[in-house]
Amino acid sequence: MKTRLGAVTLLGLALTLSACGGGSDGTPAPSPDTFSLGTLTPGQPQEISTKLKINIVMVGYHPTAPGQVVGPQDVNPGDFLQELPASGRNVARIPSAYSPTVSGNEPTGNAYNYDYNVVYANQSFEDGFFSYLGSHGTDKPVTFYQKAYNCQNIPADGSAPSCDTPASNISLPITGNLEIDGTTAENWLADNASSIGVDSSQYTIFLVNWYGRPDFKFHSYTQASAADSDTGTVFGSRASRRLNAWGGTVRGTQTQRVWFYDLSANPEAWTSNWNITDADVDGDGVPDYRMPPIWEYGTRKASYRLFSRVGADLAKVTRYVALDLLFTPSPIYRVALTPPDMPESINLNVALEQGAGATPQGSVLNPGLSQSRLQVLQPFAKLTNSVRTSPLTGDLRADYLCLFPTVSADVCSPDRADPTGDRLFVRGLNEVRELYKTSTAYQVPIYAFNDDQESQDGLLGVAIDDGVTGTQALVYSFLTPSTFADFGYGFTDTITHETGHHFSLSHPHDGYDSSQNVEYGPSGEFAYVNAGDMSHTVMSYNDLSRDFGQFNLDSQYRYLTAAYLNNAGAVLQLVQQAGTDKVAAVRSVAQSADAQFAQALSSYRAMNYLDAATQAHSAYRSVIDAARAAGVSVQAYKWYERLNGLSLGQAGVPRRVNNYLPVQGTAIRPETNEFLNKLRNSP
């Protein structure tokens, strides 16, 4: 489906922070109509560049000894590191898609110089971890997808795979399934990392291999009790939710930044690594690159993967999953929302469009619960929620159905560049304009369509942009009788997920690599990046988390720190443009805020990201309050006041793709596709 997914440009960022000033040491005295500050640079974009240590811990892998031949489970650190980028830079992905060139991406103001620390776990650590797994797992039957691996087939009718003899091309049939809670394994690694000299409060990826030891057991990881907040459907019990990776859990006052990836775990559904037979698993006509179980690398059979590719594959996972999607991801939208006046009050404005025979609100929506989970993404704003209900009938239903046309010709809005969604978008735009006539809070317009008919084939929601600048605009969430009753979804978790997009966050299965200027998703040569969903976040598709994880919080607070810094600079530029008397009135506050921003940057570089955002917010508020007290007009960007529609002939139509294959630059992608929907609803 064509959607408007997008976002606008943050107020600039391209320079590393530098100090300037003047005084008795001979440097020029500040001009009376400008500010001379050490951290803030009014009128210039700023980028917070930080050195970020990345711990890469090999557990069950070993370096090649000098003079020795590389073995099937050896990982040469030199070759491994050659695959990794030296640096990274975040961009607002959807606003960037509106740039006329693929190189004109909009930075968020966050850049990283990676300092890699490769550690090979010692025998004591490995013995302890694998003993822990063996003693804390529960023996369970071999699952649907483990049987599918053995048979290399799923019956056309979707029934459980069964074969008298394992497929001839697999190396080792699965005969057991020790299920281990992923969070407990993550916590063990974090708690014991210091014994091998690793600080797990730094970003740490554990690359795990149990295979080859005498105590090896076929195993998988779970979040077995994970359930939908409205329906109680236990997604964690499904075979498709047996994992080979996990991490990102928020653990009270103990900060850990850990993700592990285990190639020796049982083959699983989410990255389709159970299938080592078919080249194109998702049916888009392009071969899909997967990471098979470790025993499929370099056997005497017609191997799926050369043994020498183990290290290179682990490096791919480290770069394109851990770094780009989890540790330092790029957001889809600008975090500032209304630059340069970032909001202090935010209302989650839910319009429940209720089908006559649809399930009542109380069974499908808990707005207070969604609000409480979203609060962490906007820690300095007062969040509220409101719900209004309308019947999903008449013109509203006709406009809604235009999102899901049943004919190829556009019968809804043939003169628009976004044909399928324009009528519903314009309806929402007009309602938003009315809302702001009586409200000063920032409104997140959330439309929850609770249809009593099967109007579409499984889209749960989408967070769309304004279609002109890429600013986040409306949030849609959808239920049909089958998505509720058969597949077990309500609105609460979907609205949390889609509003997470609106506030900036991306999926953990699609993202951007700045060194290559490539955006990608779980398809083609990047099919394996669906492993990013095997982490604690409601932004994933596997429905194993209801809230936001450590990686989400770190990223959001970094984006906010840079946004407060740059928007404070923009406000001071407005003050300078207003004249010498305004500069004089604000100067002392600007100097105090400048010192506070310096403290924020110190916290930021110490990885105390919430502290950094808190200090930056306080400094930003003092600047904007002082500017207004001095009579300087500071206006928020209001997307709903700047639109007159989107015609087919308009210049600057954004780059769009209808798949997850990699592209140069950035592009607006669909929220989901048929393959991911099928995977999400699989047993």
Side-chain angles (χ1 to χ4, degrees), residues 606-673:
M607 301 183 72
N608 298 322
Y609 297 125
L610 179 56
D611 288 347
T614 301
Q615 292 157 344
H617 169 258
S618 177
Y620 162 82
R621 285 309 322 171
S622 68
V623 167
I624 198 169
D625 290 346
R628 285 186 168 141
V632 177
S633 176
V634 181
Q635 298 297 318
Y637 182 79
K638 300 176 180 178
W639 66 270
Y640 53 91
E641 290 184 352
R642 305 292 292 275
L643 299 183
N644 291 313
L646 182 62
S647 69
L648 281 170
Q650 177 184 334
V653 172
R655 296 182 295 278
R656 293 185 185 273
V657 292
N658 62 359
N659 55 52
Y660 284 98
L661 293 171
V663 296
Q664 282 293 307
T666 54
I668 299 173
R669 298 182 184 274
E671 170 72 14
T672 188
N673 61 22

Side-chain angles (χ1 to χ4, degrees), residues 143-426:
T143 70
F144 182 98
Y145 284 97
Q146 293 155 14
K147 293 176 183 177
Y149 165 79
N150 287 346
C151 300
Q152 285 301 293
N153 181 49
I154 294 177
D157 62 3
S159 59
S162 178
C163 49
D164 294 332
T165 303
S168 61
N169 61 325
I170 69 170
S171 299
L172 189 67
I174 307 301
T175 58
N177 180 31
L178 182 73
E179 293 193 352
I180 306 155
D181 180 77
T183 301
T184 63
E186 173 194 0
N187 291 345
W188 192 99
L189 292 168
D191 290 343
N192 290 274
S194 61
S195 70
I196 52 174
V198 171
D199 181 355
S200 61
S201 71
Q202 300 166 338
Y203 289 114
T204 304
I205 177 173
F206 288 89
L207 299 171
V208 175
N209 172 34
W210 192 359
Y211 182 67
R213 289 174 53 101
D215 57 354
F216 170 74
K217 296 182 179 181
F218 289 112
H219 63 288
S220 56
Y221 300 95
T222 70
Q223 294 291 301
S225 62
D228 185 87
S229 296
D230 298 313
T231 67
T233 300
V234 184
F235 291 106
S237 67
R238 297 184 180 182
S240 57
R241 272 61 168 185
R242 273 34 203 164
L243 317 170
N244 66 358
W246 192 254
T249 304
V250 176
R251 196 178 177 188
T253 58
Q254 178 178 329
T255 300
Q256 62 188 41
R257 297 179 170 95
V258 166
W259 187 67
F260 70 84
Y261 181 79
D262 185 353
L263 268 185
S264 67
N266 285 349
E268 45 77 38
W270 218 251
T271 65
S272 301
N273 82 335
W274 67 269
N275 188 330
I276 64 169
T277 300
D278 301 310
D280 177 20
V281 177
D282 60 8
D284 64 0
V286 178
D288 297 312
Y289 196 90
R290 284 100 69 200
M291 311 301 184
I294 186 68
W295 51 82
E296 293 294 351
Y297 286 81
T299 72
R300 287 177 59 84
K301 289 193 172 190
S303 298
Y304 180 78
R305 189 71 47 80
L306 293 173
F307 73 87
S308 59
R309 292 298 303 172
V310 171
D313 280 1
L314 293 175
K316 284 179 179 291
V317 170
T318 300
R319 175 174 187 163
Y320 297 110
V321 181
L323 285 180
D324 288 343
L325 303 185
L326 300 178
F327 297 167
T328 56
S330 286
I332 62 168
Y333 284 124
R334 187 178 303 103
V335 76
L337 298 177
T338 57
D341 182 11
M342 296 169 66
E344 297 287 302
S345 299
I346 297 174
N347 184 51
L348 308 177
N349 194 303
V350 181
L352 181 62
E353 317 293 12
Q354 183 78 4
T359 305
Q361 173 188 331
S363 299
V364 296
L365 174 63
N366 185 337
L369 182 58
S370 184
Q371 175 190 320
S372 67
R373 290 169 174 168
L374 286 160
Q375 182 68 69
V376 294
L377 298 186
Q378 296 290 338
F380 316 114
K382 178 183 178 182
L383 257 64
T384 57
N385 75 82
S386 57
V387 180
R388 50 198 169 91
T389 302
S390 304
L392 186 56
T393 58
D395 290 343
L396 172 61
R397 181 168 184 81
D399 294 347
Y400 159 74
L401 291 176
C402 280
L403 280 171
F404 313 103
T406 56
V407 294
S408 58
D410 175 25
V411 296
C412 296
S413 46
D415 59 342
R416 302 289 179 165
D418 184 18
T420 59
D422 193 76
R423 276 175 41 178
L424 193 62
F425 178 85
V426 171

Side-chain angles (χ1 to χ4, degrees), residues 392-627:
L392 186 56
T393 58
D395 290 343
L396 172 61
R397 181 168 184 81
D399 294 347
Y400 159 74
L401 291 176
C402 280
L403 280 171
F404 313 103
T406 56
V407 294
S408 58
D410 175 25
V411 296
C412 296
S413 46
D415 59 342
R416 302 289 179 165
D418 184 18
T420 59
D422 193 76
R423 276 175 41 178
L424 193 62
F425 178 85
V426 171
R427 176 184 288 272
L429 171 63
N430 291 333
E431 290 185 357
V432 168
R433 287 171 171 165
E434 289 299 313
L435 288 174
Y436 278 108
K437 290 180 179 179
T438 57
S439 175
T440 58
Y442 178 86
Q443 301 290 322
V444 182
I446 301 168
Y447 290 87
F449 296 94
N450 193 14
D451 200 355
D452 56 359
Q453 300 178 39
E454 295 298 335
S455 50
Q456 51 101 2
D457 58 1
L459 180 65
L460 294 179
V462 63
I464 65 174
D465 71 284
D466 66 351
V468 175
T469 65
T471 300
Q472 55 265 69
L474 308 177
V475 171
Y476 294 153
S477 183
F478 310 104
L479 276 185
T480 64
S482 63
T483 52
F484 173 74
D486 299 337
F487 299 125
Y489 290 102
F491 280 128
T492 301
D493 298 331
T494 300
I495 286 174
T496 304
H497 172 108
E498 298 302 340
T499 307
H501 282 319
H502 186 93
F503 285 159
S504 87
L505 296 181
S506 181
H507 296 131
H509 59 249
D510 59 76
Y512 174 75
D513 186 274
S514 62
S515 295
Q516 296 178 330
N517 192 27
V518 167
E519 188 182 272
Y520 56 90
S523 188
E525 63 186 283
F526 290 100
Y528 60 89
V529 304
N530 230 20
D533 269 11
M534 291 185 260
S535 62
H536 186 106
T537 175
V538 72
M539 302 309 294
S540 79
Y541 272 13
N542 58 23
D543 307 299
L544 297 179
S545 304
R546 304 296 127 201
D547 53 11
F548 300 95
Q550 187 65 51
F551 304 143
N552 297 142
L553 302 185
D554 285 353
S555 297
Q556 184 77 352
Y557 300 154
R558 286 195 298 262
Y559 306 151
L560 283 170
T561 301
Y564 287 129
L565 177 74
N566 278 278
N567 284 287
V571 172
L572 291 179
Q573 185 181 14
L574 291 172
V575 174
Q576 290 178 166
Q577 292 172 353
T580 302
D581 60 328
K582 307 300 185 186
V583 172
V586 175
R587 189 180 301 279
S588 64
V589 171
Q591 290 171 340
S592 177
D594 190 65
Q596 196 167 9
F597 272 118
Q599 294 174 352
L601 296 182
S602 178
S603 296
Y604 184 105
R605 290 178 175 130
M607 301 183 72
N608 298 322
Y609 297 125
L610 179 56
D611 288 347
T614 301
Q615 292 157 344
H617 169 258
S618 177
Y620 162 82
R621 285 309 322 171
S622 68
V623 167
I624 198 169
D625 290 346

Side-chain angles (χ1 to χ4, degrees), residues 9 94-106 468 651-655 666:
T9 319
I94 290 175
S96 296
Y98 284 80
S99 169
T101 66
V102 297
S103 60
N105 292 326
E106 177 189 326
V468 175
V653 172
R655 296 182 295 278
T666 54

